[in-house]
Amino acid sequence: MKADTMSIAVDESTDKTDTAQLCIYVRFFDGKCFREELLGLLPLEGHTTGDIVFGKISAFFKDSGLDMKRVCMLVTDGAPSMTGKVNGLAARWSAVAPQLISLHCIVHQAVLCAKLSGALKTTMDSVMAIINFIRSTSSLHHRLFRMLLSEMSAEHHDLLLHNDVRWLSKGKALECFCGLREEIITFLRGSKQKKAETHLSRILDDNFMADACFLSDIFKHLNDLNLGLQGRDKTVIDLVEQMRAFQVKLDLFANDLSTGRMLHFPTLRKCISSPTQITDVMTDFIAMLKNNFAGRLDGLDLPTELAVFVRDPFTVAIEGDLSARAKKLVPSIDEGKFTLELVDMQSSVTMAQELSTNGPAMFWTDVNAHQFPNIKKVAIVMLSMFGSTYTCESSFSHMNSIKSNSRCSLTDHTLHQCLRIALTTYEPKVTALVQNKKCHFSH
């Protein structure tokens, strides 16, 4: 790999044979564009401590001819083995590469910000108890409910289960539950099961339903944020911007509830008859979200000024400590020349138009490296930074498809190669490959 700098995302999951597989993804600039590629899939036969993980990765880098010092950012899932202050992977790697920035996956952090507790957790547990009663009591029970939904031409065809591992399922389950309230009441009234009465009294409670509808609306917004944070080719700059935007939205949500307009809470607006039914539990949860998001974003060890510089170098202030922060991020640059190059760039009207037309990634790709070597180097480092472990987690879905129950005898080496082929963004030059081959006709 010829890239001067790269960003690494690391996550671990277990395959079908209970072998822990360590997925390593790399983001780098290849001279023409930014790429995200599977760097390696390393099997961990025994324990998965920080020391063992670091040893595996160190050996892999050495065997592959890669320099660990060229890694500018390490993104992990936040597990103790990854983030431990003494023996965690990030701590061990920082000892080798002092300039390394370690980051807990921003998507994970957004999910942790919305963790339920108290009265709202009780509400969520009750919702899932009703859903599980309908879906899991018996197959007949479930079939009769779906038949009822079909007869009543319901908005949804079934209730959805919630799984903590699947981040979006909580919002989806609540959405279906609130949308099918009348159908659920009808079904519970006709059920002969003893537990049906308890669940019926719960769903007929207006206060309970108000809390459930509030959760449905707020988790719809959280799901929209989560989906926006996911995806390939998203840098840490993109993700932090979306998190900052959501902080502003939380202020809107709080004001929306306090005024009783509920413009951003359509399900709650349909459920309650008066704004007086908006409880302190709801407003407190919004306040908690605001504090959690603010705390996690303020705790990110990211050069915010440089992120603004990469987004729009034509309006950023040259004075101040911008060049000092750039020097800290990329020690090899000349701080004085960095400032002079930025002055030259800000004087160019044509380049400003190119930025607005092409966007930051394409703009910095096309910047002349001979004319602006220092500022381009800083921009490339910033744009090479991962913001989440999304690429690793999506790779595990492919891994489970490749190494399925019917193909569980695949070796770790074969699994690695199959996964690399499935995930690579490189495309083979078929015409050139064919031209280099000769047909051998039988005689």
Side-chain angles (χ1 to χ4, degrees):
M1 187 182 294
K2 298 180 181 180
D4 294 329
T5 187
M6 55 185 159
S7 176
I8 297 292
V10 178
D11 202 356
E12 177 261 322
S13 185
T14 305
D15 64 20
K16 295 295 182 180
T17 58
D18 289 335
T19 300
Q21 299 286 354
L22 189 69
C23 181
I24 308 173
Y25 239 88
V26 61
R27 178 177 171 86
F28 63 98
F29 181 66
D30 67 356
K32 297 180 179 178
C33 64
F34 291 92
R35 290 192 175 276
E36 294 178 0
E37 294 290 335
L38 177 68
L39 186 61
L41 187 71
L42 309 182
L44 303 173
E45 293 82 5
H47 294 286
T48 57
T49 63
D51 285 336
I52 293 175
V53 171
F54 178 74
K56 277 277 187 179
I57 295 178
S58 298
F60 175 78
F61 266 65
K62 184 177 181 181
D63 294 342
S64 303
L66 301 175
D67 186 359
M68 297 183 75
K69 295 180 181 179
R70 294 191 318 191
V71 177
C72 62
M73 173 167 279
L74 172 67
V75 186
T76 66
D77 60 358
S81 61
M82 301 291 182
T83 60
K85 293 183 179 180
V86 178
N87 294 320
L89 174 63
R92 296 293 303 275
W93 205 317
S94 296
V96 176
Q99 82 287 354
L100 177 76
I101 298 175
S102 58
L103 178 69
H104 179 188
C105 170
I106 291 179
V107 182
H108 283 207
Q109 296 200 56
V111 174
L112 293 174
C113 285
K115 191 172 182 180
L116 292 175
S117 61
L120 290 180
K121 184 178 187 305
T122 301
T123 299
M124 187 68 208
D125 291 341
S126 297
V127 168
M128 291 315 305
I130 296 172
I131 293 175
N132 289 333
F133 170 75
I134 293 173
R135 289 200 48 154
S136 305
T137 298
S138 68
S139 298
L140 174 60
H141 213 233
H142 188 199
R143 288 200 303 271
L144 292 175
F145 177 72
R146 287 188 296 178
M147 187 183 299
L148 176 66
L149 296 183
S150 178
E151 293 172 353
M152 297 180 69
S153 301
E155 180 182 358
H156 303 282
H157 300 297
D158 201 355
L159 290 169
L160 298 179
L161 296 173
H162 162 53
N163 187 329
D164 282 327
V165 177
R166 298 185 180 276
W167 297 332
L168 304 180
S169 65
K170 188 178 295 180
K172 294 292 185 182
L174 285 163
E175 180 183 354
C176 287
F177 177 81
C178 295
L180 295 174
R181 182 190 183 187
E182 296 303 322
E183 289 81 0
I184 294 172
I185 291 174
T186 301
F187 181 76
L188 292 176
R189 281 174 173 163
S191 176
K192 296 179 181 180
Q193 299 284 337
K194 292 182 179 180
K195 292 183 179 180
E197 294 182 7
T198 303
H199 295 315
L200 180 60
S201 63
R202 193 70 170 145
I203 199 172
L204 288 173
D205 185 342
D206 291 338
N207 292 329
F208 165 78
M209 281 307 303
D211 286 345
C213 291
F214 165 76
L215 285 176
S216 177
D217 286 328
I218 196 64
F219 274 101
K220 171 65 168 61
H221 295 304
L222 287 164
N223 279 2
D224 291 341
L225 170 65
N226 197 299
L227 287 171
L229 296 175
Q230 295 182 41
R232 294 176 69 102
D233 294 318
K234 292 193 175 183
T235 66
V236 68
I237 301 174
D238 301 320
L239 271 57
V240 170
E241 284 182 350
Q242 292 191 53
M243 292 279 279
R244 297 287 185 196
F246 192 76
Q247 280 186 292
V248 178
K249 291 178 182 179
L250 287 173
D251 289 326
L252 293 177
F253 298 158
N255 183 64
D256 197 26
L257 285 179
S258 64
T259 58
R261 299 185 69 190
M262 293 176 282
L263 299 176
H264 305 291
F265 298 88
T267 310
L268 179 61
R269 187 172 65 245
K270 293 178 182 177
C271 175
I272 64 178
S273 56
S274 170
T276 57
Q277 290 181 265
I278 297 174
T279 64
D280 291 340
V281 172
M282 301 176 189
T283 55
D284 288 346
F285 185 70
I286 298 293
M288 183 208 72
L289 284 177
K290 290 169 61 177
N291 291 333
N292 287 350
F293 274 88
R296 289 188 177 274
L297 281 173
D298 292 343
L300 295 180
D301 184 22
L302 295 173
T304 307
E305 296 86 351
L306 294 180
V308 176
F309 154 73
V310 171
R311 278 296 191 196
D312 190 358
F314 299 95
T315 58
V316 69
I318 298 176
E319 300 82 5
D321 59 353
L322 178 64
S323 60
R325 291 187 178 276
K327 178 72 173 179
K328 181 179 179 181
L329 179 69
V330 187
S332 62
I333 68 167
D334 185 306
E335 192 174 341
K337 291 181 179 179
F338 174 91
T339 305
L340 296 178
E341 290 172 15
L342 186 55
V343 172
D344 290 338
M345 178 173 284
Q346 290 185 349
S347 302
S348 173
V349 177
T350 304
M351 296 185 75
Q353 293 175 344
E354 291 176 355
L355 176 65
S356 61
T357 302
N358 301 327
M362 184 62 70
F363 169 78
W364 286 109
T365 297
D366 295 336
V367 166
N368 190 320
H370 297 290
Q371 185 179 2
F372 305 101
N374 292 281
I375 59 175
K376 178 167 183 173
K377 186 175 293 186
V378 173
I380 293 299
V381 171
M382 287 296 298
L383 290 171
S384 297
M385 291 182 175
F386 275 121
S388 74
T389 56
Y390 169 83
T391 49
C392 295
E393 288 161 14
S394 62
S395 300
F396 292 136
S397 297
H398 288 277
M399 180 187 75
N400 291 331
S401 298
I402 295 170
K403 192 170 183 178
S404 60
N405 289 329
S406 57
R407 303 175 66 191
C408 59
S409 297
L410 283 176
T411 64
D412 293 325
H413 176 74
T414 303
L415 175 62
H416 181 190
Q417 299 305 321
C418 289
L419 192 60
R420 183 179 296 281
I421 294 172
L423 297 173
T424 185
T425 58
Y426 287 100
E427 296 181 0
K429 298 179 180 179
V430 178
T431 303
L433 292 172
V434 171
Q435 291 176 347
N436 292 331
K437 299 293 182 181
K438 293 183 179 179
C439 297
H440 296 280
F441 297 100
S442 57
H443 298 284

